[in-house]
């Protein structure tokens, strides 16, 4: 067990905030409340946004198999799953990894529920500039269930994969329409630039019609 724990990286944080709206008289989520601020809708309220745990067993040339998972408690988890109390919990990512000895520096394959390659904002608050999600949050996917391959060629990183859905994570591919996604990025010492895409259709589950 001690040898196993030595190769596991554990990161965690707790995010607590206070929001106040001078126009609000209560917390009924109606007029005068913070209705456009995602999970910060309550005025004059202290709340626990995220209690986050991240477990990672990174891959390398000496140990090519690994895994990663992100688990969160708090208002973020409660809002994202749509129900639950203060003790709601959500598993945001859970995937296994393998570093294949191919190409310039190897190709890493991640299979399971992975973070999306798109978007400027992310669910973990430590990766965002803002304290809450932007108004265009719902236009981007958050995570996908599928397989993504990635590699490094000097300062250039390349990623490509296929996932179950375009806009939202789907653990079961009910419409059987896969989506293709990819990303290319260049990272220098003081700046970086990246572009990402996703292509596919999302028609929803098939409709069955019973014949009389």
């Amino acid at each position: 067990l001690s040898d196993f724990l030595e190769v596991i990286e554990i990161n965690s944080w707790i995010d607590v905030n206070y929001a106040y709206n001078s126009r609000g008289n209560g917390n009924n989520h109606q007029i005068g409340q913070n209705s456009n601020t995602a999970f910060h809708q309550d005025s004059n309220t202290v709340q626990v946004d995220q209690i986050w745990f991240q477990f990672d067993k990174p891959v390398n040339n000496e140990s090519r198999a690994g895994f990663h998972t992100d688990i969160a408690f708090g208002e973020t988890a409660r809002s994202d799953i749509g129900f639950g109390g203060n003790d709601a919990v959500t598993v945001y990512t859970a995937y296994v990894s393998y570093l294949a000895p191919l190409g310039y520096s190897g190709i890493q394959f991640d299979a399971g529920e992975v973070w999306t390659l798109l978007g400027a904002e992310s669910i973990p608050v430590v990766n965002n500039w803002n304290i809450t999600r932007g108004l265009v949050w719902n236009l981007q996917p958050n995570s996908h269930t599928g397989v993504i391959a990635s590699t490094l060629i000097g300062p250039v990183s390349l990623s490509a994969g296929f996932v179950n859905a375009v806009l939202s994570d789907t653990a079961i591919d009910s419409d059987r329409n896969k989506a293709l996604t990819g990303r290319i990025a260049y990272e220098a010492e003081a700046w970086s630039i990246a572009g990402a895409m996703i292509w596919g259709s999302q028609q929803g589950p098939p409709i069955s019609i019973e014949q009389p």
Side-chain angles (χ1 to χ4, degrees), residues 79-189:
S79 298
D80 285 336
I81 63 178
F83 62 90
N86 293 329
D87 55 349
V89 58
T90 296
V91 178
Y92 284 100
T93 66
Y95 59 86
V96 294
S97 303
Y98 179 75
L99 180 62
L102 302 170
Y104 182 81
S105 60
I107 300 178
Q108 179 174 329
F109 294 90
D110 299 323
E113 187 168 1
V114 298
W115 288 123
T116 184
L117 300 177
L118 291 82
E121 294 183 296
S122 65
I123 293 176
V125 295
V126 295
N127 297 331
N128 294 328
W129 287 97
N130 300 319
I131 64 170
T132 188
R133 300 172 183 175
L135 296 178
V136 297
W137 170 261
N138 290 329
L139 298 180
Q140 70 173 67
N142 303 320
S143 62
H144 303 285
T145 301
V147 179
I148 293 180
S150 57
T151 188
L152 288 173
I153 305 176
V156 177
S157 62
L158 302 170
S159 300
F162 66 96
V163 296
N164 285 344
V166 177
L167 294 178
S168 60
D169 175 69
T170 303
I172 299 175
D173 190 6
S174 58
D175 61 8
R176 301 182 180 179
N177 290 318
K178 289 291 185 290
L180 301 178
T181 184
R183 183 177 186 269
I184 181 172
Y186 178 88
E187 185 172 353
E189 291 185 2

Side-chain angles (χ1 to χ4, degrees), residues 8-27:
I8 303 300
E9 296 180 1
I10 302 176
N11 295 300
S12 65
W13 60 82
I14 298 177
D15 178 58
V16 179
N17 68 67
Y18 169 81
Y20 180 78
N21 188 333
S22 61
R23 297 175 56 195
N25 297 317
N27 284 317

